[in-house]
Amino acid sequence: MDMKAADNIGRTKFVLHGPEDVFDPRVTAHRGDLADVSLAGKLFAPHYATPMPMRCAAPKALIRKQGGKNHEAISELLHGEDFSMLDVVGDWAWGYCGLDGYVGYLPVHALQHQKKTPQPTHLISARAALIFVEPDFKSGVMKRLPMGARIACGEASECDNFLKTGKGFVHVRHVQQIGAPVVFDGSNGSAALAEQMVGAPYLWGGRSGDGLDCSGLVQMILMLTGVDSPRDTDQQMAALGQDIADGEDLRRGDLVFFPNHVGLMIDSERIVHANSHWMQVSIERLTDVVARFAATTDQPILARKRLS
């Protein structure tokens, strides 16, 4: 932590004007003893901290409710993504993700200061990408990065098939420039991206090509198509798309929300989703999914949303 900044914060007096704001703890960096300095004057905390700008240096790192590998995973930070670190407790850093503001703990060794890491230029757009020692698929492999990870790429190899990244090389077909959305099937690439993930294991809190939950799948594929998305299903239902009128047929790329679940339609009858029933990303008839939810709830479908 920047001790000079922390000391300056400690000397500053903050005053609450009226009652504390109502806040969502998932995306508000506030705990019993400490809060982000941006919350000063809005939410009370004994101490406030200026976040230290960090970046994920590991292929991926699960974010947990509390510091410790046995605590529940709530999200995941991917290679090259930013993290605002507010505190370090033992081997665990506490703060929030740059992409969606999600708050939690992750291993501090998975992070490096942003000043010590290059600014990412590309996203892994394949289900996974290998980083080769040389610009040759027969050379040794240095590491494996999942779909959604971010890397800094430089010049192309002489053969134009690889891009230089750090000490290795990535194939050009496995990456896309940040800000240049992938389009696989004309006007809507999200369904095609989701279909690529069929068979990927279900992982609570996961949001990468190596394992993911339902909202993690939606967030990742929308990010790759240039659409910002919050992390959890209720947040996505509130923020994404427009409601589809009752009686109107579903289309490829539409989102369907269930209680604590979300999936994406690949046509008018079938849905692709990461689910704990099959413990993987799978394609099913929407009627079958609705029937499973109908066994436990009176309202299986909460919303149907169209992104464009």
Side-chain angles (χ1 to χ4, degrees):
M1 189 62 62
D2 185 339
M3 298 308 295
K4 182 177 180 180
D7 183 60
N8 288 340
I9 294 169
R11 295 172 185 271
T12 303
K13 293 183 179 180
F14 296 103
V15 179
L16 285 175
H17 300 282
E20 287 188 321
D21 292 344
V22 177
F23 67 95
D24 184 343
R26 295 172 296 179
V27 291
T28 308
H30 181 282
R31 66 186 194 194
D33 63 328
L34 184 67
D36 186 5
V37 68
S38 65
L39 299 174
K42 303 174 184 178
L43 297 172
F44 172 77
H47 304 283
Y48 299 94
T50 298
M52 181 177 288
M54 308 295 283
R55 187 166 286 142
C56 185
K60 58 187 182 298
L62 283 171
I63 298 171
R64 301 185 183 275
K65 279 188 176 181
Q66 299 292 332
K69 62 181 181 180
N70 293 327
H71 289 284
E72 179 185 349
I74 52 176
S75 192
E76 192 170 36
L77 192 71
L78 306 185
H79 185 278
E81 291 186 331
D82 292 341
F83 186 80
S84 295
M85 187 174 71
L86 294 166
D87 193 21
V88 177
V89 181
D91 295 330
W92 294 83
W94 179 69
Y96 53 96
C97 304
L99 180 70
D100 52 23
Y102 222 81
V103 177
Y105 293 80
L106 75 166
V108 69
H109 61 74
L111 300 171
Q112 284 188 339
H113 198 286
Q114 287 183 16
K115 291 181 178 179
K116 297 181 179 180
T117 60
Q119 180 69 32
T121 60
H122 288 68
L123 285 162
I124 304 299
S125 54
R127 184 158 165 179
L130 302 178
I131 308 301
F132 295 94
V133 176
E134 301 292 340
D136 183 346
F137 61 82
K138 295 180 181 178
S139 70
V141 174
M142 299 178 63
K143 59 184 174 182
R144 178 183 186 276
L145 295 176
M147 178 185 278
R150 298 170 181 242
I151 54 175
C153 293
E155 70 277 5
S157 61
E158 290 186 7
C159 64
D160 288 329
N161 289 330
F162 292 85
L163 296 176
K164 185 78 169 67
T165 176
K167 298 180 180 179
F169 295 83
V170 63
H171 200 281
V172 294
R173 290 196 177 96
H174 290 169
V175 295
Q176 68 181 67
Q177 284 190 335
I178 293 174
V182 170
V183 177
F184 284 96
D185 57 350
S187 62
N188 194 319
S190 58
L193 277 167
E195 287 171 319
Q196 281 197 69
M197 298 304 298
V198 170
Y202 181 83
L203 175 65
W204 182 261
R207 47 178 292 272
S208 82
D210 288 343
L212 62 183
D213 58 25
C214 64
S215 56
L217 173 66
V218 168
Q219 185 188 50
M220 182 181 68
I221 62 176
L222 292 185
M223 173 186 67
L224 289 170
T225 56
V227 178
D228 292 332
S229 169
R231 178 63 181 88
D232 290 341
T233 54
D234 63 316
Q235 298 168 325
Q236 292 172 354
M237 188 169 68
L240 296 176
Q242 301 296 322
D243 288 322
I244 300 171
D246 292 341
E248 184 176 352
D249 289 341
L250 290 165
R251 301 176 188 169
R252 182 172 173 86
D254 288 343
L255 296 173
V256 179
F257 291 90
F258 312 85
N260 301 312
H261 191 64
V262 62
L264 186 142
M265 300 301 294
I266 62 169
D267 54 36
S268 62
E269 297 181 348
R270 294 179 299 157
I271 190 169
V272 57
H273 59 145
N275 61 94
S276 58
H277 181 76
W278 298 110
M279 286 303 294
Q280 63 179 7
V281 177
S282 58
I283 295 175
E284 297 185 81
R285 293 183 65 85
L286 177 61
T287 53
D288 293 338
V289 180
V290 170
R292 284 204 298 272
F293 277 94
T296 58
T297 180
D298 293 333
Q299 188 178 357
I301 294 180
L302 301 181
R304 307 186 310 162
K305 294 293 192 79
R306 182 160 295 154
L307 296 174
S308 61

